[in-house]
Structures are given as structure tokens and as C-alpha cells.
Amino acid sequence: MIGRIALAAGAILFASSAMAVDKNDVTFNGASSVSVLKTIKSYKDIKPTSSKNKLTFAINRHGNSDAAKLFKDGLYMMNMDHFKPSFTTANLAAEVDLKFTINGKSYTANGLRLTQYKEGLRNPWAIGGKNCVMLGRNITVNRGKVSTELGCSALDENNKRVSLFFKTTGDNTGISYDTINVSVGPYGSL
């Protein structure tokens, strides 16, 4: 009898762990907080949640071409941070309106797209949007470092247009998996 109870408990434990959902976080360094104002569309209708300067997507990491298509649909190469623009599968994707707090001031960016794509065993993040422009790639050859920067149109708390800059970095071991640096500048400084 005890053996059957142990076997049943083991089966329940296995079943519940098999159904566990990954928590896929992206942190926006440079912001003290980020909040989701609106989810315009998302893969499998997953709504991101926020805590301080981090967004969390609760979805299993199973690369899917529909998620990659949702991120890329209607964007040109210049509208996205493209360490690897040729990715064909992604774990998740969403188009959202986000509010960032940077140095005590609020900034709203509408129509930002986020995705976590598949790169072998890695799951790096990419960001883009129709109101964004890729500013370039900086490569430091001797240290094996690379960074890309994307400038996006946003509004400050007085509804004046500003530019938000999103920067991802990598080194010879790979792209930073879960961090996007964010800063603000005057509109037109793209």
C-alpha cells in the first residue's frame, strides 16, 4: 500500500513538473520601472507582467515560426535590433505599449515589439517597432564585444516627443540573454 501511494505521489509530481511554464524575463537596465500600458497583440495571447524594470512572459520555450512572424510582420531590417535577423523561430513575441521611468521621469513608447528567439541552445531577446530605427552596430574586435542600438520615438510625461535608445550587447561567449539597456535623448537625436 505504501509503495502504491509513493508511486502515485511520484506520478503527480512528474505530471505537475511536466506542465510547468517557463518564466521568460527581460530586464531594462537604465529604467527604474517599466509597465505595460496595453498589449496590442501577442503570440498565444500571453500578456506580459511587470515588476520594477523587468517584464515577464509566462510561456514554455518551444520555438515557433508564428511567434517569429508576429515580431517581424511589417517591420524592415532597419526597424529592429538585429543581431540575428534571419531567425525563423521564436519562443514568444508581443507588440506592447510600454511606460518607462528613467531618472524619475516617465516615457511612453507605443507599438514596441519584443521577442525571445531561438539561437541553438540560447534564447536571446530582440526589440523593434515601426517607430524605431536601427542606429548601428559597434564592434570592438580586440575584446570580442559587439553592441547594437535602436532608437525609438516616444513621448515624455508632457507629451513631448523624445527618443528612447535600446542597446543590446554581446561578447565572444554570446549575446546577453535577458537584458536590454534603455536611455533617453532629445527627439531628433537618432
Side-chain angles (χ1 to χ4, degrees):
M1 179 71 168
I2 294 175
R4 288 183 184 170
I5 292 172
L7 183 62
I12 290 170
L13 181 62
F14 175 76
S16 65
S17 68
M19 294 177 359
V21 174
D22 292 328
K23 289 190 176 180
N24 303 288
D25 298 329
V26 59
T27 300
F28 290 93
N29 281 344
S32 58
S33 71
V34 61
S35 57
V36 180
L37 299 176
K38 179 180 174 185
T39 302
I40 299 163
K41 56 185 170 182
S42 66
Y43 174 65
K44 290 193 173 184
D45 290 324
I46 299 298
K47 307 284 189 253
T49 58
S50 60
S51 175
K52 295 185 182 178
N53 65 342
K54 184 185 294 185
L55 290 181
T56 300
F57 293 81
I59 188 169
N60 289 324
R61 289 184 180 154
H62 299 294
N64 185 291
S65 61
D66 290 339
K69 184 177 186 289
L70 188 148
F71 175 76
K72 293 179 178 183
D73 191 37
L75 297 183
Y76 296 102
M77 293 283 291
M78 67 181 199
N79 298 126
M80 62 181 96
D81 178 345
H82 52 76
F83 262 114
K84 187 177 178 188
S86 61
F87 67 88
T88 57
T89 61
N91 299 318
L92 58 93
E95 183 173 356
V96 290
D97 294 345
L98 296 178
K99 179 176 158 183
F100 296 90
T101 303
I102 303 170
N103 297 326
K105 296 184 179 179
S106 297
Y107 304 94
T108 302
N110 294 320
L112 284 181
R113 294 196 197 167
L114 291 163
T115 190
Q116 183 190 62
Y117 61 93
K118 302 291 284 180
E119 182 185 30
L121 299 175
R122 299 178 179 151
N123 295 287
W125 287 85
I127 188 168
K130 291 183 179 180
N131 298 319
C132 300
V133 174
M134 178 61 142
L135 300 175
R137 186 176 289 222
N138 180 16
I139 300 172
T140 307
V141 177
N142 59 349
R143 299 189 195 269
K145 294 193 181 252
V146 64
S147 65
T148 62
E149 192 165 17
L150 185 77
C152 300
S153 178
L155 295 174
D156 69 9
E157 50 203 13
N158 298 315
N159 281 329
K160 292 190 178 176
R161 196 143 309 274
V162 297
S163 296
L164 288 180
F165 299 99
F166 299 95
K167 187 175 186 179
T168 55
T169 59
D171 58 27
N172 54 9
T173 61
I175 299 166
S176 176
Y177 300 143
D178 57 1
T179 302
I180 298 173
N181 298 309
V182 61
S183 62
V184 65
Y187 186 65
S189 57
L190 296 180

